[in-house]
Amino acid sequence: MELLTELRTHRIVAIVRGDDADAALRTVLTLAEENIPLIEVSLSGKDALGVIRRARAALGPTAPLGAGTVLTAPDARAAHEAGADFVVTPAVCEGITEAKRLELPVLAGVMTPTDIVAAQRLGADAFKIFPAAQAGGPAYLRALRGPFPAMPFVPVGGVDAAAAREYLAHGAIAVGVGSPLIGDAADGGGVDALRSRARAFRDAAHRPKRAA
C-alpha cells in the first residue's frame, strides 16, 4: 500500500471512531460507497479491531484501510493482524517503530518541528499535524512549510469543509476529518446525512481555494 499515493489521490482521510461497532462498520462501508476510500478506524472506538476485520472482509484486500490511535507496539501488531494496511499515531511513539518493522506505512502525529524530525528518524511516511486547529490552523501549516517545504503534512483536528479547502490550498497533501464528516453515524445515527457530508468534503478536497 503506497500511503503517499493514496493521500495525494484522495486528499481526505476519514476518521471513524464510534460507540457502536455495527454502526462504525456501516459508516466505513458508506464512506467507501461515497468515494472516500481512505479510512482510518480508531482503536479507541468500540471493538475497533473487529470493525477493521469485518471492513477488510467486506471491502476486499486492496482497499486502503488504516488503524488509528496506534500508540504501542502491541497496538501496531494487533492492527496488522486485523487487516489494517497503514497506521496512524497521535504522537511520536513506539507504534511507529513497530509498524515500520511490520512494513506498514505510518501517518505519524506531530505538533512541533522537533516532533517532525523525531518521527522522520523513526521512518514515518507522512506527518499528521494534530491538533491542527489548536496549533494555529492553516497559518501554522504555512509556518511549518518554511523549514519543511517538501514534507507531506496532513492536518487533523477541527477540520470542516472550509478548513479542508484552505489547508489543501496551502500545501497539505491531505486532511484528516473526524466528527465534521462522521457526525453521529458511527454511534448509531443515520447514513443519509453522512452521505451528504461526504459529498461536500469530496468537493472541498478536489476544489481547494487558491492560496492568498
Side-chain angles (χ1 to χ4, degrees):
M1 188 267 203
E2 294 291 337
L3 180 59
L4 290 180
T5 298
E6 296 289 347
L7 290 169
R8 289 189 180 101
T9 299
H10 301 297
R11 315 200 80 190
I12 298 173
V13 182
I15 303 166
V16 177
R17 178 188 293 106
D19 293 330
D20 181 325
D22 290 337
L25 175 63
R26 185 167 61 248
T27 298
V28 170
L29 300 182
T30 300
L31 290 167
E33 289 171 3
E34 292 297 331
N35 199 27
I36 297 186
L38 191 54
I39 300 166
E40 162 198 342
V41 178
S42 172
L43 295 188
S44 61
K46 179 79 170 181
D47 190 24
L49 293 172
V51 174
I52 293 170
R53 290 189 190 94
R54 293 160 68 194
R56 173 58 69 207
L59 296 172
T62 62
L65 182 62
T69 322
V70 172
L71 282 165
T72 67
D75 286 343
R77 290 193 292 271
H80 180 57
E81 291 166 5
D85 55 10
F86 70 96
V87 304
V88 185
T89 75
V92 181
C93 56
E94 67 176 8
I96 299 173
T97 306
E98 183 65 8
K100 296 307 296 184
R101 188 189 71 79
L102 294 168
E103 300 184 345
L104 292 175
V106 177
L107 174 56
V110 298
M111 172 67 86
T112 67
T114 300
D115 291 341
I116 294 165
V117 172
Q120 185 181 37
R121 286 175 177 165
L122 293 178
D125 299 87
F127 304 88
K128 173 179 119 175
I129 304 172
F130 176 79
Q134 288 76 9
Y140 187 60
L141 171 63
R142 289 196 298 272
L144 285 178
R145 283 178 55 78
F148 303 108
M151 287 291 189
F153 288 123
V154 181
V156 177
V159 180
D160 60 16
R165 279 195 172 93
E166 192 164 0
Y167 282 121
L168 292 167
H170 287 91
I173 189 174
V175 293
V177 187
S179 57
L181 169 59
I182 306 305
D184 65 352
D187 296 320
V191 297
D192 289 343
L194 173 64
R195 290 185 187 278
S196 178
R197 291 190 298 269
R199 291 163 191 162
F201 270 96
R202 194 176 65 233
D203 183 69
H206 294 284
R207 296 182 185 177
K209 64 180 284 187
R210 292 179 179 271

